Amino acid sequence: RRGDKPSAYLCIFTLLYCYNVITVYIMKRYIFSILTALVAIAAFAAAPVISFDSTTYDFGNIKEAAGPVSHDFVITNTGDAPLIIISATTSCGCTTPEIPKEPIKPGASAKLKVTFDPLGRPGEFTKNIKVKTNVKGNRPTLKLKGCVIPKSSK
């Protein structure tokens, strides 16, 4: 029965080879699926993140007769996708925001200029500016405050 041993070895070798080929095929598909999922997750995870140098600015005392005053809020994109400032709305017509026209690249900064006109508004004030962006979640709110010293009446 010596002649049966080589055929038994050949049969075992063939089975092991087929098992390895099937296992490698399955592992390649499994690894490919995992890599595809990771790439998809990374693509969806890329998002802009907005941050400000400050969200409140206090003008202090300003004279009504001196006319409009302005402040630049510095916006930084700390995310890894472009940040788009869609709009900025104010709580009053006396406050005018100027938003950046171009998207803010990751790691870059831009200025959002807000101008307050004190004419006819003596006394303390607080003005809110809501910023609409392509960032998901709550809209950030900026705040201007101060006190308008009225024109002296004659």
Side-chain angles (χ1 to χ4, degrees):
R1 295 215 170 231
R2 284 191 110 151
D4 292 339
K5 286 185 179 179
S7 63
Y9 289 131
L10 182 62
C11 183
I12 292 171
F13 175 76
T14 304
L15 286 172
L16 289 174
Y17 177 77
C18 288
Y19 175 77
N20 285 338
V21 168
I22 292 170
T23 303
V24 168
Y25 175 75
I26 291 170
M27 289 303 290
K28 281 183 180 177
R29 290 195 65 187
Y30 182 69
I31 291 171
F32 178 75
S33 297
I34 290 174
L35 289 176
T36 303
L38 289 175
V39 168
I41 290 169
F44 285 115
V49 177
I50 190 168
S51 63
F52 296 92
D53 62 339
S54 67
T55 56
T56 301
Y57 183 76
D58 188 349
F59 284 110
N61 292 327
I62 57 174
K63 294 181 180 179
E64 180 181 6
V69 291
S70 297
H71 175 70
D72 292 330
F73 288 98
V74 178
I75 302 168
T76 303
N77 180 1
T78 56
D80 49 10
L83 170 65
I84 300 168
I85 308 299
I86 298 166
S87 66
T89 55
T90 60
S91 55
C92 174
C94 60
T95 309
T96 310
E98 294 176 33
I99 61 173
K101 303 289 185 227
E102 298 296 320
I104 304 168
K105 295 178 182 176
S109 295
K111 293 179 181 177
L112 190 152
K113 182 178 181 178
V114 183
T115 303
F116 171 73
D117 186 358
L119 187 61
R121 295 174 181 84
E124 291 187 8
F125 67 91
T126 301
K127 301 298 174 184
N128 295 317
I129 303 100
K130 282 220 172 245
V131 181
K132 184 177 181 182
T133 68
N134 63 329
V135 176
K136 296 192 188 249
N138 293 336
R139 294 167 103 188
T141 300
L142 305 173
K143 192 177 290 192
L144 291 179
K145 61 183 182 176
C147 184
V148 177
I149 309 299
K151 294 179 187 178
S152 58
S153 57
K154 294 183 180 180

